[in-house]
Amino acid sequence: MALMSLAACGGGGGAGEGSAHDGVTDTTIKVGTISDRTGPTAANMEPWLHGVMTVVDEANDNGGVNGRKIDLKTEDDKYDGSLGLAAYKKLVSQDPVVAIVGVNTGDLQPIVAPLLDKDKVPVIGGQTSTKSLLKPLQKYFFGVSPDYSVQVDVMLAYGQQQTGKDQTRVAVVDNGTSTGVEVADLVKERNGKNGYNVVDSIVLPPDATTADAVVQKLMSDHVDQVAYHGNSTGVNLLLKAQQKFGAHFPIVGIAPSGTAASFAGIDPKFGKDFAFVQAVTPSAIKVAGTADMVKAADAAGYGDETTDPAYVTGYISGTVLVEGLKAAGKDLDRASLTDALEHLNVDTAGLSGPLSYSATKHAGLDAMRPYTWDYKSKSFIAAGEFSDYSDVITNEYTK
Amino acid sequence: MAEFTQYVVSGLAVGSIYGLVALGFVLIFKSTDIFNFAQGDLVMVGAYLGFGAMDRLGMPFWAAAITALLVAALLGLGLQQVVFRPMLGNSLLTMVMITIALSLIIRGVVVIIFGPLDKTYPDQLPGGAMTVAGVTLSYVDLIIMGVAAVAIACFTVFFQFSKTGLQMRAIGENSEAAAVCGVNANRMFSVAIMVGTVTAAAGGLLLANLQIVSPQLSDIGLIAFPAAVLGGMHSIPGAVVGGLTIGVIGQLSAGYVDGTAANVTIYLVLLLVLLIRPTGIFGAREVVRV
C-alpha cells in the first residue's frame, strides 16, 4: 500500500479482556460500515463502499493488520435515518465492532452525534460531515471529506469566478433534506460577503420529475450563479432544463453531486455550466498514489470505478481505518483505536490534500477544488490545484 | 402569462406520462379489483428494460422500446399466472399486502440484475427546443406528449370498439354477469394485467428520457395513484385527465410556491375533489339495489 502512516503513535489503550466486547479476537477485527446501498444515493455510496473494501481486501491479502484479518460488516441505511440508527445500534452492541466507517447519510449524523460520547465507538467519516459531528468537536468522530462549510466556500468562489463578475446574484438549490437545509443556511449566511447577493433559495426534491419550474424561476430572478445541494439526478434535471430554455449560469454542486450521470444526455455547451467540488483526485488525473490505487482496485474487482471521486474517497476512508488499526497495535480495542486515530497523519500521495488528525482537529480533509467533465475523454478535469482555493476556505465549523 | 403557460406546458408533458401509467393502474383495478401497489415498480422495470436493450444489446431507442414493451407484456402475463390469479377473491388487505411484497421483490431483482448505480439512456431523441408565443417547447417534451397521446388514443379505441376491449369493460362492470354471457373472465384478467404492465413500462420508457434511470423511478411512478383516484378509479378517461391535472398542479406549485409544495398541493387538491366528488372527477356513483 502506497499510502503510509507518517507519524502514528497510538496509545496503548487496554485491549486485554475488553477486546472481546469490541469485536476483536485473536484472529479477526470486526469493523462496520453504514451507507446507503439500495436507496436514492446508492449510486454514489456504493463506489465509496467499494473503495473501503479495496483497502480492507488488500490489507487482508497481505496477512491482515497485526496478524488479524478485518471482517467488514456492511449495513444498508437506504438513506433513512431510522434504519441507520438501527444499524448503528447493532454495530455498537448487538454485533459489536471496533469502529464504524461511514455514517454517510446526512440525516443520520445528527442522530448519531449525541450517542458517540456514551458509546465510545470511533467513527471514521465518509463523503459527508455535517455540523452536528464537528461543532463542538466530537472525540469519537474522525472526518474524511470536508464539511459543508468548506464545500460552500469553494462552490461560491468558483461559481463567481465563472461569471467574471465581482458582484453576483446567487441562488441555492437544495433537495430539502436536513443537509440541504444546512447548505442553504451556509449560503444565506454568506449573503453580502465577497460580493455574494443571495436572491433565491429553492428546493428541488429528490423525486422531482423535471426542473423546468426551478430554472424558470432562476431565469426570472436574473440569477448569476447557483450553489447546488443534491445528487446527480437533480443536477441532471437542472442542466436539461437549462438546455431546454437556453439558459446559461454556472451551477456548482457539493461533492456527491458530481458523477458521470450528472452530465449524461446534456449538450456539452450546457454541460460545461456544471462543476462540483471535491477533495480527492480520481484516477483520470495521475498523481503519485494513482497507480497503487488502480492496482488494488483491479485486484478487488473495482478497477472500472477508480475514475469516480466517490470511490477515491472510500479508498481514503479505508486507508484511515487500516492505518489507524496498525497504529493501535496488538492491544486493539475502541479506546486504543480512538487514541491512535487522534495522532494519525496519512500521506495520501496526491489523492487528496493533507490528511491529519490531532486532539483538536478531527475534521479530516479541508482542501477542495472544482471539477468539470471532459466529454471527449469522458473523465473529470480538475480546475486548478487544491491549494488554489485555500484562501477562500473559512473552516467555519472547526476554526 | 407566458410564465404561467410555460408551467402548464411543462406540467402537461410530465402529466401525460402520469396519465399513461394511471391508465394501466385503473385498468387493472377496474378488471380485477386489485389495487396494484407495484405499478410504480413496473414503470421502473420499463425504464430498465429499455436501458438493457440499448446498452447491452446495442439497439436503437425505437427497437429497444418495442422490445421492452413485448417483454413487459410477457412479464404481465407471468405476474397474472403466478401472483394475481391465485389472489383473486382474497380480502382487500391480503391483495394489498401481496402487491406491496411484489413491489419490494421487483425492486430487489432490478438492483440485483442492473446494480444500484445510476444509468442513463443514450442521447438518441432530438435535443433542442422551439418557441411558440413565448412558450418554450423542447422536442423531447413534444415527443413524450405525442407518444403518450397516441398510446392513450389507441387504448381508448381498443376499449371502445374492439371485441376484447368490450369484453374487458363488461368484466369491469360486472364480472359474474359477463361470465354468464360467455366472456372468459380469466382471459380478460390476463389481458388487463398485460395491458396495465405495458402502459406502466411505456411510462417508464418515456420517463427515462427525462430522468436518470434508477430504482427511485418507482417512486415517481407512484404518482399515478393520486392521478387515478383524482380521475375516478373506474374511469379510463379520468385516469388521463387525473394524470394531466397532477402534472400541471405539480409544476405550478413548484414554480409559484416551492418544490416541496408540489406534493402538498397535489394531495390537497385530491382531498378537496374527493370531499366534493368521492368517486373522483369522472367516477360514477354506484347504485345498489337494496
Side-chain angles (χ1 to χ4, degrees), chain A residues 141-188:
Chain A
F141 177 72
F142 299 88
V144 172
S145 272
D147 62 63
Y148 281 129
S149 80
V150 175
Q151 300 196 34
V152 166
D153 283 331
V154 180
M155 285 156 64
L156 290 176
Y158 183 71
Q160 189 177 62
Q161 187 184 319
Q162 294 307 104
T163 67
K165 298 177 181 175
D166 294 332
Q167 294 284 329
T168 47
R169 293 170 66 82
V170 179
V172 54
V173 176
D174 72 270
N175 67 3
T177 61
S178 64
T179 54
V181 172
E182 184 173 327
V183 167
D185 286 345
L186 285 163
V187 172
K188 285 184 255 185

Side-chain angles (χ1 to χ4, degrees), chain A residues 1-191:
Chain A
M1 180 181 297
L3 307 185
M4 307 177 299
S5 170
L6 288 183
C9 46
E17 293 173 7
S19 297
H21 301 294
D22 289 348
V24 180
T25 69
D26 288 343
T27 55
T28 60
I29 305 164
K30 280 188 189 172
V31 174
T33 66
I34 305 175
S35 61
D36 174 10
R37 302 203 65 186
T38 55
T41 60
N44 200 267
M45 294 300 173
E46 279 296 276
W48 172 85
L49 182 59
H50 295 162
V52 176
M53 288 172 163
T54 299
V55 182
V56 168
D57 284 357
E58 189 181 35
N60 285 341
D61 290 346
N62 291 329
V65 177
N66 297 322
R68 298 182 178 106
K69 295 285 177 81
I70 302 169
D71 179 11
L72 210 56
K73 302 287 181 188
T74 57
E75 296 290 332
D76 179 9
D77 69 12
K78 302 179 192 292
Y79 200 63
D80 181 328
S82 56
L83 290 176
L85 179 61
Y88 170 83
K89 287 185 172 175
K90 179 183 172 187
L91 295 173
V92 167
S93 52
Q94 291 168 21
D95 187 11
V97 295
V98 74
I100 296 172
V101 190
V103 190
N104 272 313
T105 297
D107 285 349
L108 177 60
Q109 295 187 7
I111 299 171
V112 164
L115 305 177
L116 294 181
D117 268 348
K118 175 176 71 73
D119 296 328
K120 297 181 170 40
V121 58
V123 171
I124 296 167
Q127 296 199 75
T128 310
S129 294
T130 60
K131 188 177 182 179
S132 60
L133 284 172
L134 296 172
K135 196 175 181 178
L137 185 143
Q138 295 275 354
K139 179 173 173 57
Y140 296 96
F141 177 72
F142 299 88
V144 172
S145 272
D147 62 63
Y148 281 129
S149 80
V150 175
Q151 300 196 34
V152 166
D153 283 331
V154 180
M155 285 156 64
L156 290 176
Y158 183 71
Q160 189 177 62
Q161 187 184 319
Q162 294 307 104
T163 67
K165 298 177 181 175
D166 294 332
Q167 294 284 329
T168 47
R169 293 170 66 82
V170 179
V172 54
V173 176
D174 72 270
N175 67 3
T177 61
S178 64
T179 54
V181 172
E182 184 173 327
V183 167
D185 286 345
L186 285 163
V187 172
K188 285 184 255 185
E189 280 171 19
R190 283 151 178 75
N191 185 31

Side-chain angles (χ1 to χ4, degrees), chain B residues 227-238:
Chain B
V229 176
L230 187 69
M233 284 299 293
H234 287 276
S235 169
I236 287 169

Side-chain angles (χ1 to χ4, degrees), chain A residues 37-40 42-43 46-47 201 203 205 207-210 212-213 216-217 220 232-233 236-237 240 244-245 261 264-265, chain B residues 3 6-7 10 14 18 111 116-118 120 123 128-129 136 138 141 207 209-212 216 220 251 254-255 258-260 263:
Chain A
R37 302 203 65 186
T38 55
E46 279 296 276
S201 178
V203 173
D207 60 352
T209 315
T210 78
D212 286 7
Q216 282 177 261
K217 177 145 181 57
S220 65
S232 53
T233 304
N236 189 262
L237 290 179
K240 279 181 177 162
K244 176 175 176 178
F245 297 117
Chain B
E3 190 178 66
Q6 185 69 65
Y7 291 147
S10 295
V14 181
Y18 297 157
V111 171
L117 303 188
D118 291 342
T120 51
D123 199 12
T136 304
S138 76
D141 280 353
L207 198 55
N209 285 286
L210 296 176
Q211 276 273 353
I212 286 172
Q216 307 319 309
I220 295 170
Q251 285 300 301
D258 192 81
T260 47
N263 279 341

Side-chain angles (χ1 to χ4, degrees), chain A residues 358-392:
Chain A
S358 70
T360 56
K361 183 176 182 295
H362 282 207
L365 297 168
D366 60 2
M368 301 196 94
R369 62 182 170 185
Y371 284 86
T372 56
W373 180 251
D374 179 19
Y375 280 84
K376 282 184 184 166
S377 64
K378 296 191 185 306
S379 60
F380 296 111
I381 310 167
E385 301 297 327
F386 290 116
S387 56
D388 293 347
Y389 298 88
S390 56
D391 289 347
V392 302

